[in-house]
Amino acid sequence: MIDRADAALADQYEAYPYPLRDPKDEARRLVVGSPSHLAEVDHWIFGARRPASAPLRALVAGGGSGDGTLMLAQQMAWRGRAGDVTWLDRSASARKVAMARAEVRRLDNIRFVEGSLLDLPSLGLGAFDYIDCCGVLHHLSDPAAGLSALAGSLAPGGGIGLMVYAPHGRTGVYMLQDALRRLAPPDEAPAARVEIARRVWKHLPDTAWLKRNPWITDHLKGGDAGLYDLLLNPRDQAYTVPQLAALIEGAGLRLRCLVEPVRYDPDTWLPDVRLRARTAGMDMIARAALAEALTGNMGIHVAYCTRAADPVAEPDWSDPAGVPRLRENEGPALATGLPADDVLPVTFDGLRVPLPLPRLARAMFGRIDGVRSIGEIADDMAASGTPREVFFRDFEELRRQMERMNRLFLTPQG
Ligand SMILES: C[S@@+](CC[C@H](N)C(=O)[O-])C[C@H]1O[C@@H](n2cnc3c(N)ncnc32)[C@H](O)[C@@H]1O
């Protein structure tokens, strides 16, 4: 059943396919992000245990103008990975943009299906090993029904990469949405609403919280599509960590990882031993909820989940045959760019996270290429004088720090 907000939502994405993309730009860059980077899917969903030769059947539910679809399909093509990516969305104009982008890239591993993810059980698309649902569930009238439809389309051993809005980092957004609903009600034509919103932004008092929130920029940099999605959306509901965890559990799924894990670890912000004594007894969700409330800057949550009924597939870092890779193969750049004190400076939406790395980090970064195994890297470094026990001690520390930054993964073999 389509309610009024659903109809307005359909009109929005027909008028303004999201995000705003020019197919010509595919010739010069690939948009990458989370969820659904192939290295993340391999690692967080399959624990790098699913053979690289096994065809991957992926679905991008609510694919929009194609960012997630193109990234995954392109990364599969570059790595010679068998399988395909199904783009599914209700918006015909988003489909046009996504198809044009795929054409520029000459990708032939994408299938385009126009329809609602709520109808998945009757669409006859079969079961999927991986499902992306990025920025979609929080617009549905019943997000739980949406996630259940996705969970029901997973093949055994499969998993889902989700993105939903989070409230604290969107401070100011909902106040302005409220103001704009009063000035430009959702039943007006999308273009008329955009015009009103632009006028309002020009005159917005400096005390409006969105003016003080520099981390939200879609209304400034995302064209009309970005402005509409952020400020005029007929329905968007943000999730705190506990609310997201309940949504995931309710769909028969298990939360495997929140990206980036380091942001969800309260100990990152609380070095005080008396405080750490209190966080030590908390479970993963309570810790993540605390980190969310402490930092106040999370505007989205990205979560990888697997079926609760399936055994957990943990990456096995203890196996010397395991092959590590950095997310964007940035090993050489990290090796040369790491500051002399071996502390990697990282910033998340204005929040600095100094990441102390072990002494051998530079030498290891220079050798992590997604091809050599941990054992081979150890051999190579032993040949230039690094005792194995020193290598394995430092590698474990490098692994711990870079994995929780969502930058270092194990790659599947076979
Ligand atoms: C904010 S956009 C996100 C697009 C894309 N996932 C991304 O992150 O770039 C939301 C998309 O969800 C689609 N959508 C909304 N409800 C849907 C439904 N019930 N079934 C399929 N797609 C839907 C919209 O048409 C729109 O393209």
Side-chain angles (χ1 to χ4, degrees):
M1 198 185 68
I2 294 211
D3 62 25
R4 273 180 71 184
D6 268 329
L9 200 71
D11 288 349
Q12 169 190 342
Y13 291 115
E14 223 34 80
Y16 301 116
Y18 185 92
L20 179 67
R21 295 290 180 229
D22 180 348
K24 286 201 286 293
D25 290 338
E26 295 314 310
R28 60 172 184 86
R29 58 96 184 89
L30 176 70
V31 177
V32 294
S34 304
S36 304
H37 191 295
L38 182 57
E40 294 177 15
V41 174
D42 284 338
H43 187 85
W44 295 121
I45 298 286
F46 301 117
R49 290 165 189 267
R50 189 172 193 275
S53 58
L56 184 72
R57 291 205 70 227
L59 169 72
V60 181
S65 55
D67 280 6
T69 309
L70 269 89
M71 171 177 66
L72 189 53
Q74 181 68 79
Q75 290 175 337
M76 286 168 64
W78 277 337
R79 298 206 190 113
R81 300 278 288 269
D84 52 46
V85 183
T86 298
W87 173 102
L88 173 70
D89 201 293
R90 297 192 301 178
S91 165
S93 50
R95 173 185 176 145
K96 262 194 215 144
V97 179
M99 284 179 89
R101 295 175 74 188
E103 223 162 273
V104 174
R105 295 193 162 273
R106 299 179 192 285
L107 289 168
D108 60 5
N109 55 354
I110 304 178
R111 170 170 65 149
F112 291 90
V113 179
E114 235 172 88
S116 171
L117 66 88
L118 296 168
D119 295 334
L120 267 168
S122 60
L123 286 175
L125 300 177
F128 295 93
D129 305 305
Y130 175 68
I131 298 178
D132 165 293
C133 192
C134 177
V136 181
L137 289 179
H138 48 229
H139 296 308
L140 304 183
S141 61
D142 186 350
L147 189 55
S148 291
L150 300 181
S153 300
L154 276 180
I160 299 183
L162 286 179
M163 185 280 270
V164 294
Y165 291 145
H168 306 328
R170 285 168 70 79
T171 293
V173 169
Y174 296 103
M175 287 174 234
L176 199 49
Q177 281 190 5
D178 180 27
L180 291 173
R181 260 192 304 274
R182 295 165 192 275
L183 273 170
D187 50 8
E188 285 184 12
R193 299 188 74 210
V194 167
E195 199 225 320
I196 294 294
R198 292 217 178 277
R199 284 173 189 271
V200 168
W201 182 256
K202 239 190 251 168
H203 298 288
L204 199 63
D206 287 339
T207 48
W209 282 105
L210 193 59
K211 276 204 154 177
R212 299 168 170 221
N213 185 345
W215 315 115
I216 300 278
T217 57
D218 228 12
H219 56 311
L220 304 173
K221 297 185 180 161
D224 289 351
L227 179 137
Y228 207 104
D229 201 55
L230 185 75
L231 298 178
L232 297 166
N233 209 300
R235 185 170 46 217
D236 96 46
Q237 169 191 343
Y239 285 79
T240 61
V241 166
Q243 289 166 339
L244 175 60
L247 181 73
I248 289 169
E249 194 185 332
L253 298 168
R254 175 193 294 121
L255 177 60
R256 287 286 297 119
C257 159
L258 287 161
V259 172
E260 293 79 9
V262 68
R263 296 182 74 169
Y264 291 89
D265 178 358
D267 291 352
T268 309
W269 327 112
L270 304 176
D272 182 321
V273 284
R274 295 274 297 271
L275 300 178
R276 288 232 176 142
R278 294 192 171 213
T279 59
M282 296 180 176
D283 65 21
M284 176 197 176
I285 302 303
R287 291 172 69 83
L290 174 60
E292 174 179 33
L294 280 174
T295 56
N297 74 337
M298 295 177 188
I300 60 170
H301 296 303
V302 171
Y304 285 106
C305 329
T306 52
R307 300 185 339 152
D310 292 339
V312 178
E314 289 280 3
D316 180 7
W317 286 103
S318 67
D319 179 3
V323 175
R325 70 159 284 166
L326 286 146
R327 198 168 182 277
E328 309 305 334
N329 294 316
E330 67 270 41
L334 283 169
T336 50
L338 187 63
D341 61 1
D342 295 330
V343 177
L344 193 66
V346 188
T347 305
F348 296 110
D349 300 329
L351 183 61
R352 278 176 52 90
V353 189
L355 204 71
L357 297 179
R359 200 176 52 80
L360 293 176
R362 196 170 288 104
M364 293 188 290
F365 278 146
R367 291 168 169 86
I368 295 175
D369 56 7
V371 177
R372 274 182 275 196
S373 68
I374 299 168
E376 285 166 341
I377 297 172
D379 290 346
D380 193 32
M381 289 184 56
S384 42
T386 303
R388 277 168 202 282
E389 66 279 9
V390 176
F391 169 85
F392 282 107
R393 186 198 62 206
D394 274 21
F395 183 79
E396 173 51 20
E397 183 54 12
L398 184 77
R399 191 280 302 167
R400 194 183 71 78
Q401 293 285 42
M402 296 303 288
E403 187 186 36
R404 67 197 201 110
M405 293 290 292
N406 197 43
R407 295 274 287 274
L408 185 67
F409 307 107
L410 273 185
T411 60
Q413 304 300 301

